[in-house]
Amino acid sequence: MKRFKLRTGKHQVFGLTRENYEEETQLQLPYREVGQDKRTRYLAVCPSCDNPIQIIGLYSKADNSPSVYGKHYNKDTKFAKYNEQAYYFCPYAAHRYQVTAESRKEHLTDYERNVYNILRDNFDIAINIIQQDTGIFISEKMARQMLFDFCSCEGHMYYWATIYNAPWLLLFFLSTKNCYGLLIDKESRLYEILSQRPEIRLVDTRYDRYKQISGNGSFLNMSFKVLKHRRSIVDDRLKESMSMNFIQTTDYIANVLFSMKIEINEYRFLNWISSEKAQKYRGNTRNQRLLQIAREMMPDL
């Protein structure tokens, strides 16, 4: 892997270079340790599964490892305990298994509880990310529906649920949503697409930034559903995406009108919630209300 953290949970993710690793750890304990075999090991945390990782090739490179990378380290460290279940479902692990939206882990561990708690405690930021990526304004009603669906599906136990992709899982587990009445950001890709659809009329609202979806003289038969959660490792880097399908249903048969691919950034959510701007961002009334909704709907596990 080409990224690392220094702590488990909601901590910043760094690109894995020698310069970054030296700067962030200062090569001090507990990140630099000498084992019983007298060998020096450089350690950190996997940004995906919160397990310890060992940094390989930091100062000496083998022919088969031309650059610095991290690999899982199956021992406890002072800053991260080894969690076998979390490792098994980590995208950087070598395991291969069939995954569907219904796939759930057998055991609730601290990792899955952390996914749940961090989503609850940062629900306002998660909603903002969804709005940015889809162009859809998330009303309080839809935010509640997202949380209801996520919790009823036990989204935190989903095979591929991680701390970093939690915002997008709110979309993934959301039940099919009718498009009529949705507010669309005029600067978004979705707005451009909808502007070209003959069955769509985009009407003005009291918000300068948004227009509202309406039918163009007839009933609007259009809904959206997020499907096809995909992830792979390419050159030690995680590639992850979902497909947002806009569908028309006739006689119970769904026809896909168009799709938007949603790319999931491994840095984005964690770096936002661990930054100083997170507290400044959540100071307004709407964000406080979203956090209150999350606290109401997501009791302690």
Side-chain angles (χ1 to χ4, degrees), residues 116 119-123 147 282 287-300:
Y116 179 95
L119 177 60
R120 177 183 61 188
D121 297 343
N122 298 277
F123 184 59
L147 282 182
R282 61 176 34 129
N287 290 332
Q288 288 297 311
R289 179 61 181 153
L290 289 171
L291 290 172
Q292 181 182 349
I293 290 171
R295 288 191 294 267
E296 293 172 357
M297 297 188 66
M298 299 178 75
D300 290 342

Side-chain angles (χ1 to χ4, degrees), residues 10 35 45 61 71 101 220 256:
K10 58 170 191 176
V45 176
K61 298 181 177 62
K71 72 173 185 178
L220 179 63
V256 178

